[in-house]
Amino acid sequence: MAHNARREDYQRLGLRFIRELDQAEPLAAMRTFADFGRRFSQERDKLPQDDADRAFYLVTLACDVIDHELPFSMGDKAGELVVRGQNLLDEAIALDPNCFDAIRMRSSNNLPTPSERAAFLKAEEPRVREVCEKARDGARDLGDMERGNLAAELAMRPYQRWLASIAEYELIGGRNRAAIATCEKLFEVDPSDLSDARFTLALALAKLEDEAGLDELARRYRTLCPSRGANDAWLLIARLALAHRQQKPALARTHLAEILRCYPNGAVALLRQNELPDGEFARLNVQPYSEDELVIALSEAVVLLQEGSDSSGRGVLGAWVAENTAKLRPKAVEECRLLEEQLEAQYGTQGQPGQFGGAGGFGGFGGFGGPAGFDN
């Protein structure tokens, strides 16, 4: 599970649609609701909704533009997408001044640095929590427990994403202890960790060389995310980084081998270590243990990989990871070379989509512009 704008839009309108049918005869209501999926996909504007629902739909469109199209676009096309994303978010805020997802996403374009974004989000956090909690408490009075619980959960999602963004910006800005504290606050309102704050927490703990903290986080996976083991890329990269810092190369290689075991198609990603824009709506929702997930984890882990100077320009740990991946998966070196040639032929030497720090617009880029390691 992860935050998914399209799924959430469907859930919001589905709840409202069901409430509209409460007065109908049960069999007729059942038949009508059976057609909801078709109507949602083909004539969404005709479904019952208020301005908050319409605003959230605009956020889903902005998410498509900013998170799914912009990172893979260049030049004039990228500029057009930036403007379109901004306009969609502005329209959402005009419809619903409490559309906190739109406000949060818009702030990453208005404020140039991670520290400024974190400061803005932290200043507004009490108001966001108050509004979301009021909506949650009202949702629980709907009568039907199942509907009420879902409505209450949806009401708190914008606040969860607000906290998740704060933690990510704190990590990028080198405020590792603050990032840890924000993750813990997020667990209080998101105990099943839909926001995957444990990923951000793992990287912050590694920055502080907190081995006991990483061990405790691994134990907490049983309650935070029982459907997955404590072997995701973020936690494994954090353990690898810690072993490397402790000058335990054999242990670091063991963790690297475990990453390759859990992500069998991930060797090229480990060699290339691309930096991608962070998802503005939320961390991108991809298949667990896929190459895409490893790419995202490596991009966020540049706070670890790019520490220190290295002749390759990768950073000390990044160079070590690439060198040892090549030894463990020598065939991947040729795959990587062929991919680079293909991308250069397609995009030239001026850069490739998803490999550079922005397209002149939204600024939520993992690892860009943050100090290497403040520990406050």
Side-chain angles (χ1 to χ4, degrees):
M1 300 297 289
H3 290 279
N4 183 308
R6 290 286 179 179
R7 182 195 304 127
E8 201 163 316
D9 183 44
Y10 181 91
Q11 291 172 320
R12 288 169 64 109
L13 289 200
L15 277 173
R16 186 174 295 279
F17 191 71
I18 290 173
R19 289 199 294 269
E20 295 279 332
L21 296 177
D22 279 345
Q23 306 304 316
E25 188 271 325
L27 187 58
M30 188 180 303
R31 290 198 198 98
T32 303
F33 187 74
D35 194 40
F36 173 76
R38 182 197 64 79
R39 293 184 63 187
F40 178 82
S41 63
Q42 296 180 13
E43 46 188 42
R44 184 192 178 284
D45 289 345
K46 296 180 182 178
L47 290 170
Q49 56 195 290
D50 60 12
D51 282 347
D53 296 323
R54 295 183 182 92
F56 189 81
Y57 177 59
L58 292 170
V59 168
T60 70
L61 297 179
C63 177
D64 289 342
V65 170
I66 298 164
D67 290 348
H68 301 141
E69 294 185 56
L70 180 58
F72 306 101
S73 300
M74 297 178 64
D76 292 342
K77 175 65 173 176
E80 292 170 6
L81 292 173
V82 168
V83 172
R84 175 159 170 72
Q86 292 171 347
N87 290 341
L88 287 166
L89 295 175
D90 288 342
E91 189 177 347
I93 295 168
L95 275 173
D96 176 15
N98 286 335
C99 186
F100 296 121
D101 287 306
I103 293 169
R104 175 178 55 84
M105 294 168 71
R106 195 68 173 88
S107 72
S108 77
N109 188 62
N110 295 337
L111 302 170
T113 67
S115 59
E116 288 177 291
R117 293 171 216 142
F120 167 76
L121 295 177
K122 289 176 77 172
E124 293 294 315
E125 183 251 329
R127 183 176 79 89
V128 177
R129 180 166 194 158
E130 179 183 3
V131 172
C132 290
E133 287 183 339
K134 183 177 180 180
R136 176 200 64 192
D137 295 342
R140 286 175 174 165
D141 296 332
L142 289 176
D144 181 278
M145 181 177 293
E146 185 175 355
R147 292 187 211 168
N149 287 341
L150 177 57
E153 183 182 337
L154 292 174
M156 291 300 291
R157 296 268 180 87
Y159 179 62
Q160 293 169 4
R161 291 187 284 267
W162 197 274
L163 287 179
S165 290
I166 292 174
E168 289 162 10
Y169 288 138
E170 287 171 334
L171 175 69
I172 295 168
R175 299 186 61 82
N176 303 300
R177 297 188 192 281
I180 291 169
T182 301
C183 287
E184 293 295 345
K185 181 185 288 189
L186 181 51
F187 291 146
E188 294 175 8
V189 294
D190 183 17
S192 62
D193 197 23
L194 183 72
S195 307
D196 291 332
R198 64 192 184 282
F199 298 161
T200 305
L201 178 56
L203 298 178
L205 290 168
K207 289 288 288 182
L208 295 176
E209 301 184 44
D210 188 347
E211 186 171 10
L214 285 172
D215 290 340
E216 175 59 23
L217 174 59
R219 285 191 288 271
R220 293 172 70 184
Y221 269 50
R222 288 191 293 270
T223 54
L224 286 173
C225 188
S227 63
R228 291 189 67 173
N231 61 350
D232 56 71
W234 287 264
L235 189 57
L236 291 173
I237 291 170
R239 289 195 180 281
L240 186 159
L242 187 57
H244 186 266
R245 281 190 181 184
Q246 293 173 340
Q247 298 183 10
K248 297 177 180 178
L251 180 58
R253 278 190 288 272
T254 297
H255 292 312
L256 179 59
E258 179 67 3
I259 293 173
L260 287 165
R261 187 190 69 80
C262 294
Y263 295 83
N265 298 317
V268 171
L270 287 162
L271 290 170
R272 300 189 78 222
Q273 298 174 29
N274 285 0
E275 294 182 58
L276 297 175
D278 288 341
E280 291 291 348
F281 178 75
R283 183 179 277 110
L284 295 181
N285 182 17
V286 296
Q287 185 70 26
Y289 303 109
S290 64
E291 184 179 9
D292 288 342
E293 183 175 80
L294 180 57
V295 167
I296 292 170
L298 287 165
S299 182
E300 293 182 18
V302 295
V303 294
L304 298 169
L305 296 168
Q306 291 188 1
E307 280 188 319
S309 59
D310 176 81
S311 58
S312 70
R314 291 178 181 270
V316 175
L317 180 59
W320 185 95
V321 167
E323 178 185 345
N324 283 270
T325 298
K327 292 176 181 177
L328 290 169
R329 295 287 189 274
K331 291 183 179 179
V333 177
E334 179 64 11
E335 292 179 44
C336 189
R337 185 187 68 79
L338 291 173
L339 177 59
E340 294 287 355
E341 289 180 356
Q342 178 184 341
L343 290 171
E344 184 174 340
Q346 185 172 357
Y347 297 106
T349 58
Q350 299 304 309
Q352 297 155 14
Q355 275 196 285
F356 45 84
F362 291 87
F365 293 90
F368 284 86
F374 295 154
D375 289 344
N376 51 339

